[in-house]
C-alpha cells in the first residue's frame, strides 16, 4: 500500500535547477527504478516463506532448503505500472562443482533428495584416532592414551592441538610456523624422527595407533618439548668469517662454488632431526 502511494507521488516529482551537476536530477530519474526494485523485493518477500541472509521473516524464522531450488523472477508488467513476480526452478548445480564443497556445508542448504546423489567423503565424516602421547618431564614420564577426532588434510600437530584444546590443556608442544620452516616441532612419531607439522594423518591407517614422543637425543623439558640449546652453544663456538688480512673492504672476492656451499647450510631449519637419526644409528 505504501509503495502504491509512493508511486503516485513519484508521478508529481519536480526537480529544481539545471540538469548539469545536479544530483537531484539523477535521483529523480532513478526514482522510478528504485520503486520498481522495492516492489520486487516486497512482493518476493511476501511469497518467500523462510528466512535466509538479509531476508528475515518473523513468521518463518528458519531457512527452508526447498526455497533454495526456487527463484522468484520479477518482470515489469505489460503497462509498465508495476512488477509481476513469477516462481521459476533454480538451475541445478553441476556435480563437478558440488564436489568442491564439503558435504556438511552442502547439507545446510540442500534438500535430503538432492544430497542423496552427492557422495559423502571421508573428509566430512572424520574419524576417531587412537593416540599415545608421552607426558612427563626430566624426572620421568609415561605414554598417555587418547582417542581424538581427525579430519581430512590434518597433520599430527593439528591433532596435538586438538588434544590441548579438548583433553589435555597442559600438554607441552613447541611449534611456530606450522609450515616446515622453523624446525621447532621436531619429535618422534611411531619411533621415527619427524616434524609434527609436516606429518599428514593420511599416512596412517584409521586403525593405527599413533605414538608421539619427544626426541630422544635431547633432554626433555616437558612432554614433547626438548632442550636443544646445546646446538646454539656449539653454533656460537664457530668463528665468524673474516676476510684475509690486507684485503681492503669491498675487494674480497668469493668464488661461486663457495657461495653455493654456504647456501646448503642456509637451508637448514634447525629442526635437529638429523641428530636424532645419527644418534640412533647402530
Ligand atoms: S640439517 Fe638437520 S637440523 Fe637442519 S633441517 Fe636438516 S635435519 Fe633439520
Ligand atoms: S612448526 Fe615450524 S617446522 Fe613445524
Amino acid at each position: 500500500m505504501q509503495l502504491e502511494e509512493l508511486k503516485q507521488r513519484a508521478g508529481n516529482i519536480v526537480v529544481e535547477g539545471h540538469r548539469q551537476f545536479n544530483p537531484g536530477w539523477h535521483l529523480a530519474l532513478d526514482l522510478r527504478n528504485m520503486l520498481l526494485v522495492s516492489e520486487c523485493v516486497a512482493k518476493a518477500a511476501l511469497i518467500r516463506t523462510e528466512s535466509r541472509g538479509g531476508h528475515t521473516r518473523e513468521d518463518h524464522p528458519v531457512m527452508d532448503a526447498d526455497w533454495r531450488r526456487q527463484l522468484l523472477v520479477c518482470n515489469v508488467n505489460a503497462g509498465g505500472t508495476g512488477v509481476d513476480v513469477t516462481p521459476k526452478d533454480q538451475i541445478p548445480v553441476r556435480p563437478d562443482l558440488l564436489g568442491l564443497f564439503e558435504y556438511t556445508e552442502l547439507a545446510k542448504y540442500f534438500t535430503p533428495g538432492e544430497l542423496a546423489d552427492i557422495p559423502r567423503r571421508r573428509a566430512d565424516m572424520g574419524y576417531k584416532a587412537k593416540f599415545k602421547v608421552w607426558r612427563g618431564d626430566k624426572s620421568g614420564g609415561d605414554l598417555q592414551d587418547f582417542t581424538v577426532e581427525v579430519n581430512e588434510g590434518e597433520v599430527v600437530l593439528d591433532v596435538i592441538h586438538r588434544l590441548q584444546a579438548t583433553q589435555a590443556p597442559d600438554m607441552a608442544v613447541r611449534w611456530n610456523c606450522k609450515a616446515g620452516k622453523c624446525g621447532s616441532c621436531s619429535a618422534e612419531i611411531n619411533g621415527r624422527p619427524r616434524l609434527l607439522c609436516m606429518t599428514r594423518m593420511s599416512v596412517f591407517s584409521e586403525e593405527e595407533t599413533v605414538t608421539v614422543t619427544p626426541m630422544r637425543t635431547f633432554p626433555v623439558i616437558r612432554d614433547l618439548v626438548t632442550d636443544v640449546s646445546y646446538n646454539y652453544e656449539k653454533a656460537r663456538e664457530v668463528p665468524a668469517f673474516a676476510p684475509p688480512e690486507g684485503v681492503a673492504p669491498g675487494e674480497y672476492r668469493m668464488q661461486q662454488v663457495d657461495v653455493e656451499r654456504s647456501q646448503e647450510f642456509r637451508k637448514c631449519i634447525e629442526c635437529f632431526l638429523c641428530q636424532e637419526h645419527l644418534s640412533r644409528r647402530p
Side-chain angles (χ1 to χ4, degrees), residues 4-270:
E4 284 306 319
E5 280 174 33
L6 288 172
K7 276 160 71 179
Q8 295 295 330
R9 289 174 56 193
N12 304 325
I13 198 158
V14 177
V15 182
E16 290 181 356
H18 199 274
R19 287 186 187 193
Q20 289 172 342
F21 309 114
N22 187 352
W25 175 261
H26 302 290
L27 279 177
L29 289 177
D30 272 348
L31 190 57
R32 177 174 168 270
N33 288 337
M34 288 194 282
L35 284 167
L36 285 177
V37 171
S38 304
E39 196 178 337
C40 279
V41 172
K43 283 187 171 170
L46 288 172
I47 298 171
R48 198 171 194 94
T49 50
E50 65 157 356
S51 288
R52 181 186 296 257
H55 167 71
T56 308
R57 284 184 58 158
E58 285 179 4
D59 52 346
H60 295 281
V62 292
M63 192 161 61
D64 179 343
D66 278 322
W67 269 111
R68 196 203 56 76
R69 293 192 296 168
Q70 284 275 292
L71 296 174
L72 293 173
V73 181
C74 289
N75 290 297
V76 178
N77 64 19
T81 55
V83 295
D84 295 327
V85 182
T86 327
K88 284 204 175 152
D89 283 345
Q90 174 76 269
I91 302 165
V93 184
R94 276 174 23 204
D96 56 327
L97 294 180
L98 279 179
L100 299 174
F101 294 90
E102 291 194 356
Y103 185 92
T104 45
E105 199 56 29
L106 295 175
K108 293 181 195 166
Y109 306 102
F110 284 69
T111 61
E114 291 171 294
L115 290 171
D117 297 332
I118 303 170
R120 249 178 117 95
R121 291 176 297 157
R122 177 182 144 172
D124 308 314
M125 295 184 282
Y127 70 102
K128 299 274 186 202
K130 287 192 203 62
F131 261 67
K132 282 183 187 289
V133 183
W134 195 89
R135 308 291 315 272
D137 54 27
K138 61 183 177 190
S139 62
D142 214 344
L143 289 171
Q144 206 171 318
D145 290 304
F146 296 97
T147 302
V148 57
E149 184 187 321
V150 175
N151 300 304
E152 191 193 31
E154 288 188 332
V155 293
V156 173
L157 186 60
D158 290 315
V159 180
I160 296 292
H161 284 160
R162 183 164 298 119
L163 287 175
Q164 279 183 325
T166 57
Q167 304 180 46
D170 59 341
M171 183 182 282
V173 60
R174 184 165 49 213
W175 68 285
N176 282 282
C177 68
K178 201 170 176 274
K181 299 281 181 205
C182 73
S184 59
C185 66
S186 313
E188 288 187 17
I189 301 174
N190 288 355
R192 295 183 151 203
R194 298 267 210 164
L195 289 178
L196 296 176
C197 73
M198 296 303 283
T199 307
R200 292 198 165 273
M201 284 303 297
S202 56
V203 303
F204 309 109
S205 72
E206 292 186 11
E207 296 71 37
E208 193 172 351
T209 299
V210 180
T211 304
V212 188
T213 46
M215 283 194 288
R216 268 177 265 185
T217 310
F218 302 100
V220 168
I221 298 176
R222 191 157 67 83
D223 300 338
L224 301 175
V225 179
T226 50
D227 179 1
V228 293
S229 56
Y230 175 80
N231 297 287
Y232 303 113
E233 284 161 25
K234 281 286 151 201
R236 273 193 289 273
E237 288 173 16
V238 177
F241 168 79
E245 278 190 30
V247 178
E251 283 191 356
Y252 181 73
R253 295 288 176 268
M254 217 175 164
Q255 299 298 317
Q256 185 59 32
V257 63
D258 293 323
V259 175
E260 280 158 17
R261 262 192 89 230
S262 69
Q263 285 297 334
E264 179 192 336
F265 298 108
R266 291 177 70 92
K267 283 183 197 157
C268 173
I269 61 169
E270 298 180 358

Side-chain angles (χ1 to χ4, degrees), residues 267-275:
K267 283 183 197 157
C268 173
I269 61 169
E270 298 180 358
C271 64
F272 310 125
L273 290 177
C274 50
Q275 295 180 42

